[in-house]
Amino acid sequence: MDIIFLEQVKVQTNLGVPDWERAVAQTVILDIEIGYDFSKACQSDAIEDTIDYGQVAARIRETLAEHSFKLVEALGEHVCQLILLEFKAQNVKLKVSKPGILPGLKALGIQIYRTT
């Protein structure tokens, strides 16, 4: 299994349980590992034989700007399913961090793993 990773992808989204927290977009940081068979791309050197990480990042930013989530877990599941379904990944490991959301914490968040 081959892996492409996108590290510390900063995105803006509306996230939080109380309505006031979702009223203004906040920064969320994503660390993403995408499992895919890159053997064909290694031979062809062609972008169409791999996952275009620029398109992945753009699509995530687009969908998170359009949606509001109460839970970090729901946001994470949304992103994983997007990558699995739209980009035909074999699996996704995702870490979602909300930086500086609570006093005395650098960040809080979740880490999930999904497969087809």
Side-chain angles (χ1 to χ4, degrees):
M1 176 73 59
D2 303 314
I3 296 173
I4 188 169
F5 67 90
L6 292 83
E7 199 168 88
Q8 295 199 3
V9 179
K10 294 181 181 178
V11 297
Q12 295 290 309
T13 193
N14 295 60
L15 176 65
V17 174
D19 291 338
W20 62 263
E21 192 175 4
R22 286 190 318 279
V24 177
Q26 57 186 285
T27 300
V28 175
I29 300 171
L30 309 176
D31 290 318
I32 308 164
E33 293 183 12
I34 303 169
Y36 192 81
D37 181 1
F38 298 127
S39 58
K40 188 173 179 183
C42 292
Q43 299 301 315
S44 70
D45 197 25
I47 191 71
E48 54 272 357
D49 292 331
T50 188
I51 294 176
D52 184 334
Y53 55 82
Q55 287 184 1
V56 172
R59 184 67 181 102
I60 290 169
R61 286 191 174 101
E62 176 185 29
T63 191
L64 293 185
E66 296 170 351
H67 290 84
S68 175
F69 302 92
K70 290 184 179 178
L71 301 177
V72 178
E73 294 86 344
L75 181 150
E77 186 67 25
H78 179 83
V79 170
C80 285
Q81 292 305 315
L82 179 144
I83 294 169
L84 291 170
L85 298 172
E86 292 187 22
F87 294 94
K88 309 297 186 222
Q90 294 173 348
N91 59 61
V92 180
K93 181 178 176 183
L94 175 71
K95 178 180 173 185
V96 180
S97 301
K98 286 177 68 172
I101 197 69
L102 292 175
L105 288 180
K106 180 178 179 179
L108 63 83
I110 58 143
Q111 191 168 22
I112 60 176
Y113 178 82
R114 295 292 181 265
T115 187
T116 55

